[in-house]
Structure formats: C-alpha cells, structure tokens
Amino acid sequence: MSAREFRQSQFHESEKMAALGTLALGMANSLNNALAGITTTLETVRALHLPAGAEDAHQQLAQAQRAARGAARLVRRLAQASAPAPSRLRPVDPATAVAEAVAVLERELDRRVAILTRWGHGTARILADPEQIADVLVNMGHNAGEAMPDGGVLTFSTALEPHGPAWSPEEGFVRIEVQDTGRGIAPAVLPRVFEPFFTTKRGAGSGLGLAPVYGILQQHGGGVSVESVQGEGTVFHLYLRRTSAPIPAPDEVDLSSTGTGTILVIDDDPLIREPMRRALAHCGYEVCEAPDGPQGLTLLDREAGRIDLVVLDLWMPGPSGLEVLAEIKRRAAWLPVILMSGHGSELGLAAGPERPDAYLGKPFPLPELVRTVRRLIADAALLAAESPEQGWEVA
C-alpha cells in the first residue's frame, strides 16, 4: 500500500469512527436517561418506602440495582470508546478496582478461563477514577479471554513500583499486571496494539483495540507497557500514581426530611423528573418541575427569590442546558445549578461562558444527588449572608 493509499485509508477510518462515535454518544445519552429513571426509582422505593423488616423485597431491589449498575457500565464503555470522559481522580485501593473488574469478568468470560488475583501493593493507594480503571481492566480481561478460546488462566496482580517506570521522571507508582496464558501477540503486531484503528480481527471487532486503555492511563498520569511470547501468553503492565491521601468514606447520606428550600428540576423526561421529585420532597425540599428550558426560565421569573437551586439537564429539545445555564447565571449569578447529562461526561461544558456549580452524570446514586443539593444550598446561604445585596434580574 502506498503512502497516499494509507492516508486515504486512515481518513476513511476516521470518518467512519466519527460517525459511529456520534451514534454511540446519542445511544449512551438515551440509555443513561432510561437507567437514571430506573435507578432513582429503585433507590427511592428501597430507601423511603420499604419497612425495615421486608428483607426479601430489599434483596430483590438490591439485585435490580446491581443489574442496572452493570448496564450503566456497558453504556459507559460504549461512550468511553467514542469520547473519553475526563478522569475524576481520587484515592483508591487498587484491590477494589481489580475486584470490581473480576466480578464482571467472572460473569462474562468463558467458564474455562480461571481468574486469579495476587496482591503485592500492601496498603498503598492510587490516584484514580475507580470506574474508569475498572472499565480498563474489564476491557483487558475481555481481550485476554479472546486470546484463550480453549480456556486458560487470567491473573491480576499488584506490586509497588517505588521509582516509577523507566519512561517516567516521577516516583511512586503501583503496577497492576494483567497476564494471560493465551496464544500471545506476534512481534510484528506488538508495537501496534495501542493504535486506535488497528485490529487483527478480520471482519470483526470495532477497530478500537486497546487505544481507550492507553488514553485513560495517560489522563491518570500513568502508562502501560506490554510483553508477549507467542504460544505462551501476554502480560500488560499498568502504572498508576501512588497517593498518601486517605480513601474517602463510603457515601452515607441521611435521607430523612431535614432539608429546607425550593428546588427547580428542568428535564424533558418525566421518568427522571418524577422519581427525583419524590426523593427530594421526602428529604424536605419543595420541588418545582419544568419539561424544557423556556418553561423553566418562566418559572424562575415567576418564583423570583423563592428558588434556592436548579437541577438542569444538559441535553434537551430547544435551548440546550448550556444555553439555559448561561441565562440563569445572567439573571442570578449566585443561584446554584447542578447540571446532569446522560453522556456520563462533562462533554461540551467548556463551550459555555458559565459553568455549573456541580455536575452529575446519569445514572447517579440518590445519595450523591442529596449530598450535592445540601452542600450547594448551604454554600449559597452563607454567600447570601455575606452579600445581602444579591438580586434577581427578570427578563
């Protein structure tokens, strides 16, 4: 193939992947909207309406929540391949991310593939986005499974890397290894495994390969290397930065009716607005609803001075969430706004002149919504006490 033909081939591949990416993001948005309605309803019923003694019902709803989280993970993998989301780094135990990936792979891989784990990182923590790292490990586990069509052993192990990998000037990494006993990678193919359009699957596969893995680890300030021997297997070395910061405590949010204030929810999907309204109302808030931006802004003008917070969808018919956000901030810069998106990423937020006070990717846990609402309303109340001259500019 000539250089010109190669460039044309890559251009056509880029166009194809861009089109697929647009389709994938649209599907991710619709699926995450549906999952947000499902998970919020399940959490509301389980947390607010079931008596403590109804153990069987609690277990069934918990199982449904786990299934919904699994579906959300699949959607996240689809969207990540099309438009990688920004990494939300926090202290994580590497074993937690590995265990989450192993739980998925035990359900999805061929039963003839045995999965082993070995821990060598001690009490070290990594600075990571736990969902993204778990997704990376699931992706690599599936690739390993394809390399072992007749079964084999897939091993996840951790180790300390005190001086960092050879390519990094920094110190203090944890190395996660993903090793299989499969057919291995040919020497000619090995240097290309992280190319975005390279695949060895004739007539099959997305062509995305391991490129998303490489991109996510770069966002983490880490990296990845690979060794392989044909007929013996492959091992990938993932390097993630260590941190001395403590691991955040699990979400423990009191869902009792102790909140005060009025919240406006602007979302075109009633299957999301309704369970959100019920949950926030149970927590003590008065809730107004609007199905689009223009009606939401009309409500804000009508109730000027009474609305304490806005929960706003990013993707709606008519004016987008970003346009509505800019108008809200023009009228009342002090009013806190939570922006939601079914894309699961802050895609496009930098395009607007204003940014939201918080962002939630659908589907989000109910405690996260309640905790964010309480924090922002409390912060706004402090600001109002310090700046009593704040006002509302009616359109």
Side-chain angles (χ1 to χ4, degrees):
M1 178 185 292
S2 68
R4 182 172 177 274
E5 289 173 331
F6 176 77
R7 286 194 298 271
Q8 286 182 332
S9 172
Q10 292 297 289
F11 175 74
H12 291 315
E13 285 292 320
S14 298
E15 284 191 321
K16 180 177 71 175
M17 294 310 296
L20 288 173
T22 301
L23 174 63
L25 286 176
M27 290 173 60
N29 184 57
S30 299
L31 289 168
N32 277 328
N33 275 333
L35 287 169
I38 293 169
T39 57
T40 305
T41 300
L42 288 171
E43 287 189 88
T44 302
V45 171
R46 190 178 176 209
L48 310 181
H49 301 299
L50 280 185
E55 290 300 325
D56 186 55
H58 274 287
Q59 289 178 8
Q60 290 185 52
L61 287 176
Q63 186 175 9
Q65 283 179 268
R66 287 193 293 272
R69 284 197 296 270
R73 182 181 296 107
L74 292 173
V75 175
R76 194 166 61 244
R77 284 163 60 187
L78 172 68
Q80 186 70 37
S82 306
S87 300
R88 296 171 175 269
L89 305 182
R90 61 184 175 89
V92 176
D93 181 351
T96 302
V98 171
E100 183 177 344
V102 167
V104 174
L105 293 167
E106 285 178 338
R107 295 193 301 268
E108 297 181 356
L109 288 186
D110 190 314
R111 296 295 182 185
R112 294 173 293 176
V113 175
I115 304 177
L116 306 179
T117 54
R118 296 175 182 151
W119 312 122
H121 65 281
T123 59
R125 299 175 294 279
I126 56 174
L127 195 61
D129 183 316
E131 290 185 342
Q132 286 188 347
I133 294 303
D135 288 346
V136 161
L137 296 172
V138 169
N139 186 345
M140 302 191 81
H142 277 290
N143 275 275
E146 291 174 1
M148 300 182 287
D150 299 319
V153 179
L154 172 60
T155 303
F156 292 90
S157 59
T158 63
L160 295 176
E161 195 77 29
H163 302 297
W167 41 261
S168 173
E170 298 183 40
E171 296 185 356
F173 282 74
V174 169
R175 185 177 73 251
I176 301 177
E177 293 186 349
V178 184
Q179 184 171 15
D180 66 66
T181 58
R183 55 197 171 207
I185 303 172
V189 171
L190 200 58
R192 303 187 63 189
V193 294
F194 297 109
E195 292 182 12
F197 304 116
F198 179 73
T199 179
T200 57
K201 302 172 185 176
R202 299 296 179 186
S206 65
L208 290 168
L210 293 169
V213 170
Y214 182 79
I216 288 172
L217 290 170
Q218 278 196 318
Q219 288 183 182
H220 280 68
V224 58
S225 63
V226 57
E227 301 173 61
S228 186
V229 177
Q230 282 192 280
E232 296 183 19
T234 302
V235 55
F236 285 88
H237 308 276
L238 283 62
Y239 298 93
L240 292 155
R241 289 180 295 161
R242 290 174 61 179
T243 179
S244 58
I247 295 175
D251 287 343
E252 293 292 341
V253 177
D254 179 15
L255 296 180
S256 59
S257 55
T258 56
T260 56
T262 301
I263 298 170
L264 171 60
V265 178
I266 306 176
D267 194 302
D268 60 302
D269 192 341
L271 295 179
I272 294 174
R273 293 199 313 270
E274 178 56 24
M276 194 180 299
R277 182 196 63 75
R278 288 199 303 267
L280 291 171
H282 178 86
C283 293
Y285 299 101
E286 185 176 344
V287 182
C288 306
E289 300 175 51
D292 56 38
Q295 293 187 58
L297 292 171
T298 299
L299 264 174
L300 280 173
D301 286 339
R302 186 193 312 159
E303 304 294 338
R306 197 169 72 88
I307 302 295
D308 298 289
L309 180 141
V310 178
V311 182
L312 173 66
D313 190 30
L314 177 57
W315 303 99
M316 295 182 293
S320 71
L322 288 178
E323 293 172 305
V324 177
L325 170 65
E327 185 58 29
I328 291 172
K329 291 297 185 179
R330 185 188 69 79
R331 300 182 188 191
W334 51 268
L335 184 66
V337 178
I338 299 173
L339 200 62
M340 310 178 292
S341 172
H343 281 306
S345 72
E346 296 170 87
L347 184 67
L349 296 194
E354 285 84 14
R355 291 183 64 85
D357 300 274
Y359 171 85
L360 296 176
K362 299 175 185 175
F364 45 79
L366 180 58
E368 184 178 0
L369 170 65
V370 174
R371 182 180 62 249
T372 305
V373 164
R374 286 179 177 164
R375 173 176 61 81
L376 292 179
I377 288 181
D379 290 348
L382 286 174
L383 182 62
E386 295 171 358
S387 306
E389 71 280 1
Q390 290 178 148
W392 180 271
E393 183 177 335
V394 178

